[in-house]
């Protein structure tokens, strides 16, 4: 857990420390990444089913537990698939940049870069949409910063190549975000539509 705090408050030193670990040690951190990715889904499930939210002082709105369960599972699947897809793309691009990598190294690096998003997601236990949007935006911005700081030491590439490498990963993030948003619309409409209840 010290690394989780370190990635937020001392990112450069934490990336350097993580980069010096053995392959087995880096692979072992995958379970932590997968556990942290569950925080936003669990928080949104609790916040939308137990606490609820209101719009402009109106009635409190909640989602039924039965309809929130598949949404939470799909939310977690989206978080994990993002980490895996971007991490594997990191591995695929490593040959272009002559980086020192192996498949799970990119996945763990991307997972650690996403720590601000996981922690910001915890705020959803009490859904105040304006606050949640601001926190999510700030968390995404900090995740991008962590990605740019983490690529050079983790992939063992020079700073100038690391900048290009991280920029390529960021573009993959953007494309994948569009894919996830499109899938969300389709699934919301045809597979896992929420059932709202007013309190």
């Amino acid at each position: 857990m010290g690394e989780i705090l370190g990635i937020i408050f001392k990112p450069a030193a934490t990336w350097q420390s993580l980069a010096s670990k053995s392959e087995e040690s880096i692979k072992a951190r995958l379970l932590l990444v997968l556990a942290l990715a569950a925080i936003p889904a669990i928080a949104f499930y609790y916040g939308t089913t137990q606490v609820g939210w209101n719009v402009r002082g109106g009635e409190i709105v909640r989602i039924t537990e039965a309809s929130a369960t598949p949404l939470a599972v799909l939310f977690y699947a989206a978080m994990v698939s993002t980490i895996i897809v971007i991490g594997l793309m990191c591995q695929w691009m490593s040959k272009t940049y002559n980086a020192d990598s192996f498949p799970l190294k990119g996945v763990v690096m991307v997972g650690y870069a996403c720590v601000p998003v996981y922690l910001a997601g915890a705020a959803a236990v009490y859904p105040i949409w304006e606050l949640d949007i601001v926190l999510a935006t700030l968390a995404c911005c900090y995740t991008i910063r962590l990605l740019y700081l983490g690529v050079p030491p983790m992939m063992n590439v020079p700073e100038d190549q690391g900048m290009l490498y991280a920029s390529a990963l960021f573009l993959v993030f953007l494309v994948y975000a569009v894919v996830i948003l499109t899938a969300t619309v389709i699934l919301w409409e045809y597979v896992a539509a929420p059932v709202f209840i007013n309190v």
Side-chain angles (χ1 to χ4, degrees):
M1 292 305 290
E3 284 180 349
I4 301 307
L5 293 175
I7 208 74
I8 299 295
F9 298 108
K10 297 178 181 177
T14 304
W15 283 127
Q16 289 289 348
S17 172
L18 189 59
S20 68
K21 304 290 185 196
S22 69
E23 182 174 335
E24 291 304 315
S25 182
I26 291 173
K27 286 179 180 178
R29 285 161 169 78
L30 182 62
L31 289 177
L32 175 62
V33 168
L34 294 176
L36 289 171
I39 292 173
I42 293 168
F44 273 102
Y45 175 85
Y46 179 83
T48 57
T49 60
Q50 305 302 314
V51 179
W53 69 94
N54 62 20
V55 179
R56 297 184 183 161
E59 293 180 323
I60 294 177
V61 179
R62 292 186 184 137
I63 298 174
T64 63
E65 291 180 9
S67 68
T69 301
L71 290 172
V73 171
L74 289 169
F75 187 10
Y76 178 68
M79 296 292 282
V80 171
S81 70
T82 300
I83 296 164
I84 292 171
V85 168
I86 307 303
L88 292 177
M89 287 300 294
C90 181
Q91 163 64 20
W92 180 71
M93 286 188 247
S94 66
K95 294 174 186 174
T96 303
Y97 296 97
N98 296 317
D100 176 23
S101 185
F102 51 89
L104 288 183
K105 188 176 193 179
V107 174
V108 170
M109 184 192 72
V110 171
Y112 267 59
C114 290
V115 163
V117 173
Y118 308 146
L119 298 180
V125 294
Y126 191 77
I128 302 172
W129 295 115
E130 296 84 3
L131 175 63
D132 289 346
I133 289 169
V134 169
L135 287 176
T137 303
L138 293 174
C140 288
C141 291
Y142 199 63
T143 291
I144 295 164
R145 180 176 186 268
L146 289 177
L147 188 67
Y148 276 89
L149 290 173
V151 166
M154 285 295 290
M155 297 295 124
N156 195 21
V157 294
E159 287 286 330
D160 56 336
Q161 280 191 327
M163 184 76 151
L164 294 172
Y165 198 165
S167 297
L169 286 175
F170 178 57
L171 289 175
V172 174
F173 259 115
L174 293 177
V175 171
Y176 198 72
V178 173
V179 170
I180 290 292
L181 289 173
T182 304
T184 300
V185 170
I186 293 167
L187 291 171
W188 187 290
E189 185 68 28
Y190 298 108
V191 178
V195 177
F196 298 98
I197 51 175
N198 293 338
V199 179

